[in-house]
Amino acid sequence: MGTNGQVLETNFATVRYELDHSHTFDFPDGSVLCPIAPDIKAYYPLQDEYYQYFDSTSAPSLSLALAQLERYIQEEGPFDGVLGFSQGATLAATYLARLSLDYPSRSLPFRCAIFFCGGIPFDSEALKLGDMVLVDPGTTGPILGLSTANIWGRNDIIWPGSSEVLCELCDNEYKNVYIHDEGHSIPGPRAKEAVQGCVRAIRRAILTADLMQ
């Protein structure tokens, strides 16, 4: 929240450079304007526009973001995978969870999902009633049956524990987990070991997706 597509592209650049250069990525902005995130104020122009994908207290805002994501997939896809950081990962996970629970016989629109510091997805049934309720893996069990890379920092003080819960919602057979020593961030050039760990997890997720075909 308080970033934009350019910020995500920049933050992902080091990991992206280490991946196979045949991969291409889209970095769409959110649609809800909000103040710049405090931790990036020193690095990006304050006069630029910064966004969030949805207001985390508003069911209509989340419903609109899900509809916008679905339209983007239809108009710009198909895509092999989805990559999200922080609230972007929450949105992607909420979208995939909704499809998995509401349409279990339908194929998902992605072969794999890469979650960086992801939040807990929201319950689609509660959302229909206008309520913002987090999915409880103790009730649902694993519901994301696609290949995933679950990556987070053990020193995440912004969303502590959220990535662990999201990881529980991913199928044990198809998930790849990497926990680095950074915080709520995508590791950059100063964290070489963490970058390589991210790359390995993403490559395993892609390989797992290939084997699932």
Side-chain angles (χ1 to χ4, degrees):
M1 296 179 285
T3 67
N4 55 40
Q6 181 183 0
V7 173
L8 177 58
E9 185 172 7
T10 300
N11 290 347
F12 183 59
T14 304
V15 174
R16 181 181 183 179
Y17 179 81
E18 297 295 332
L19 289 169
D20 184 334
H21 291 184
S22 66
H23 302 301
T24 60
F25 298 86
D26 284 6
F27 297 94
D29 288 330
S31 62
V32 181
L33 282 168
C34 67
I36 184 172
D39 56 325
I40 67 170
K41 278 185 176 180
Y43 308 104
Y44 293 92
L46 297 181
Q47 67 271 21
D48 284 0
E49 291 185 337
Y50 299 92
Y51 305 90
Q52 56 186 345
Y53 290 106
F54 58 93
D55 178 346
S56 59
T57 66
S58 168
S61 179
L62 175 55
S63 295
L64 177 60
L66 291 168
Q68 290 170 332
L69 175 58
E70 185 159 77
R71 185 166 64 249
Y72 189 90
I73 294 167
Q74 293 171 348
E75 294 177 355
E76 304 294 336
F79 297 101
D80 289 320
V82 60
L83 179 151
F85 167 71
S86 192
Q87 194 192 48
T90 303
L91 177 62
T94 299
Y95 178 70
L96 291 168
R98 183 183 70 174
L99 292 180
S100 298
L101 293 173
D102 292 358
Y103 309 101
S105 62
R106 183 188 300 180
S107 297
L108 294 173
F110 307 114
R111 296 170 53 230
C112 64
I114 314 300
F115 300 129
F116 281 98
C117 301
I120 306 168
F122 290 90
D123 182 274
S124 60
E125 290 301 313
L127 189 61
K128 294 173 186 176
L129 301 175
D131 298 322
M132 299 287 279
V133 177
L134 299 176
V135 175
D136 178 9
T139 300
T140 65
I143 55 175
L144 301 182
L146 76 171
S147 175
T148 59
N150 297 268
I151 302 168
W152 70 88
R154 67 179 81 253
N155 295 307
D156 187 342
I157 61 173
I158 296 178
W159 282 6
S162 292
S163 293
E164 291 89 334
V165 177
L166 173 55
C167 189
E168 288 183 53
L169 292 166
C170 299
D171 193 303
N172 288 326
E173 187 175 354
Y174 307 126
K175 69 183 175 188
N176 302 273
V177 180
Y178 178 65
I179 306 170
H180 52 77
D181 290 328
E182 304 298 304
H184 192 77
S185 63
I186 300 175
R190 292 183 295 178
K192 295 181 180 180
E193 183 179 342
V195 168
Q196 292 303 318
C198 293
V199 169
R200 288 192 296 270
I202 293 170
R203 285 176 173 165
R204 287 196 300 268
I206 294 171
L207 177 60
T208 301
D210 289 340
L211 293 175
M212 291 173 67
Q213 284 190 308

